[in-house]
């Protein structure tokens, strides 16, 4: 299994990605960073030929996004919610 790791930014603005090859069957990636760990959502992409494909290598993907709502409790946000 091939593993790819990359990072950008510093301190509270640092983000990281870990991607894992599934040996020709797909890619699984985790994007994370920030000050408070949370599950922000999940994305699934299924590759397929384009509907107007001229060649057998003209691919696109169907994509499903499942966002996970969450509340960030910061003093500024609480102030805005109360007013």
């Amino acid at each position: 299994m091939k593993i790819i790791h990359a990072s950008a930014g510093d301190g509270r603005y640092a983000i990281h990605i870990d991607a894992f090859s599934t040996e020709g069957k797909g890619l699984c990636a985790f994007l994370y960073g920030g000050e408070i760990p949370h599950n922000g959502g999940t994305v699934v992409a299924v590759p397929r030929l384009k509907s107007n494909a001229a060649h057998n290598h003209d691919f696109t993907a169907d994509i499903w996004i499942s966002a996970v709502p969450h509340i960030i409790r910061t003093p500024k946000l609480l102030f805005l919610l109360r007013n």
Side-chain angles (χ1 to χ4, degrees), residues 8-30:
D10 293 309
R12 66 187 289 189
Y13 301 107
I15 60 169
H16 313 278
I17 188 166
D18 294 325
F20 305 87
S21 169
T22 58
E23 304 302 326
K25 297 184 181 193
L27 183 70
C28 183
F30 300 92

Side-chain angles (χ1 to χ4, degrees), residues 10-81:
D10 293 309
R12 66 187 289 189
Y13 301 107
I15 60 169
H16 313 278
I17 188 166
D18 294 325
F20 305 87
S21 169
T22 58
E23 304 302 326
K25 297 184 181 193
L27 183 70
C28 183
F30 300 92
L31 179 66
Y32 55 97
E35 296 178 309
I36 303 170
H38 68 280
N39 182 5
T42 304
V43 178
V44 176
V46 178
R48 63 173 175 81
L49 279 174
K50 292 181 179 179
S51 57
N52 61 348
H55 306 284
N56 64 355
H57 58 269
D58 288 342
F59 282 93
T60 187
D62 293 324
I63 299 173
W64 294 271
I65 300 171
S66 174
V68 178
H70 58 279
I71 298 174
I72 301 171
R73 291 181 174 90
T74 64
K76 185 174 182 179
L77 178 62
L78 292 175
F79 174 80
L80 293 172
L81 292 173

